[in-house]
Amino acid sequence: MSEFCQALVTNLLQNANKKLNEKVPELRDEERLPINKGKIYISKTSPPAVCEAYLAQFQQDFSLFLKSRAQEMVPYGGRAILVLHGRLSADPTSEDSYTPWELFAEAISHLVSKGLIDEERLDSFDVPYYTPSQEEVKELIDKEGSFAVDLMETFAIDIGDKDIWSNATSYANNIRSFTEPMISHHFGVKILDELYGEITDLIIQDFASQTEPDKIINIVVVLKRKKNR
């Protein structure tokens, strides 16, 4: 494997690991009541404070990530390649900010109505995830100051196309492969099959009414290490 490929793989893995360890923003009011009730991520019905809290947490996490990577690299000229899930719109609730979390919130709500999950468990769960815009990423890189941007591009990939997946179950299993550890940690393992069964049913409904495939937005950034300040 070439040095370039090794650097690519290393930085992708480091970035993925960092994403898994992001903190959840504080989503409680002054009386310690949940402000994003019934949801587990940013949604159209979320109050502005939820979007602000997620952005603030991302700013803190990504700035620390950049600072940490800079300390690992040669003082000048070293490069890093990052691939981030992002969005095209400035609005964090826009449809191009695709995530499966709306499906999860709806499926978990179904299990709450069946008495299989306590409502408090739903309201106490917020996903440690954020899809930034290209502008937000660029602003943080410039502000942190360790790197110059050599290249930044944003592109969309069809991720929920019914013509790609053999059936809704295979799509649901793909989602389960990267969400189950987080879900089982908070809600327990007993409800997993029931929960992902609900999600499969929701995907079937989505496929039936789908006119365009769901897309995921990727932001690719090539960074060049600046001289030590």
Side-chain angles (χ1 to χ4, degrees):
M1 181 182 293
S2 69
E3 291 183 1
F4 176 82
C5 290
Q6 288 177 334
L8 172 59
V9 171
T10 298
N11 280 283
L12 290 178
L13 290 175
Q14 287 173 336
N15 187 48
N17 184 60
K18 176 59 188 170
K19 293 296 289 183
L20 288 173
N21 288 285
E22 279 184 335
K23 298 176 183 177
V24 179
E26 179 64 35
L27 298 178
R28 300 272 172 170
D29 62 17
E30 294 179 354
E31 298 179 356
R32 306 302 300 163
L33 297 175
I35 62 174
N36 202 28
K37 193 172 178 62
K39 300 294 183 180
I40 63 175
Y41 185 61
I42 301 170
S43 72
K44 291 288 187 183
T45 60
S46 297
V50 172
C51 300
E52 293 166 3
Y54 266 100
L55 174 58
Q57 188 66 59
F58 173 74
Q59 290 171 333
Q60 177 182 330
D61 291 340
F62 191 57
S63 295
L64 178 59
F65 172 82
L66 293 171
K67 181 179 180 180
S68 299
R69 299 293 76 77
Q71 293 172 352
E72 298 169 350
M73 299 176 68
V74 294
Y76 177 67
R79 283 173 169 77
I81 301 176
L82 308 181
V83 181
L84 306 173
H85 287 175
R87 66 179 192 273
L88 297 174
S89 171
D91 179 6
T93 69
S94 62
E95 292 184 2
D96 65 13
S97 180
Y98 170 78
T99 69
W101 307 124
E102 281 292 312
L103 288 176
F104 274 93
E106 187 173 350
I108 293 170
S109 293
H110 288 172
L111 298 194
V112 170
S113 67
K114 293 179 179 180
L116 299 177
I117 294 178
D118 291 335
E119 187 174 5
E120 290 183 1
R121 296 297 291 172
L122 169 58
D123 292 336
S124 64
F125 181 64
D126 297 292
V127 177
Y129 184 91
Y130 184 72
T131 52
S133 66
Q134 180 171 309
E135 290 74 19
E136 288 170 345
V137 173
K138 179 66 163 58
E139 180 180 350
L140 283 173
I141 293 170
D142 291 342
K143 183 177 180 180
E144 194 280 327
S146 297
F147 295 94
V149 176
D150 264 4
L151 174 70
M152 179 178 288
E153 292 187 1
T154 302
F155 59 94
I157 298 176
D158 291 347
I159 194 70
D161 191 340
K162 59 187 176 184
D163 294 327
I164 295 176
W165 302 97
S166 58
N167 52 56
T169 301
S170 65
Y171 185 29
N173 286 340
N174 176 69
I175 293 175
R176 183 170 184 168
S177 69
F178 67 89
T179 59
E180 183 174 313
M182 186 191 314
I183 298 297
S184 62
H185 177 74
H186 187 82
F187 295 101
V189 298
K190 292 182 179 180
I191 55 88
L192 290 178
D193 289 341
E194 183 85 17
L195 174 62
Y196 286 99
E198 291 276 356
I199 290 172
T200 301
D201 291 341
L202 292 172
I203 292 173
I204 291 172
Q205 296 174 28
D206 181 59
F207 278 4
S209 60
Q210 189 180 82
T211 57
E212 293 185 2
D214 293 324
K215 297 181 184 295
I216 193 167
I217 306 301
N218 282 339
I219 302 174
V220 178
V221 190
V222 180
L223 300 175
K224 181 179 180 180
R225 181 73 164 90
K226 294 181 179 179
K227 293 181 180 179
N228 287 334
R229 292 171 292 174

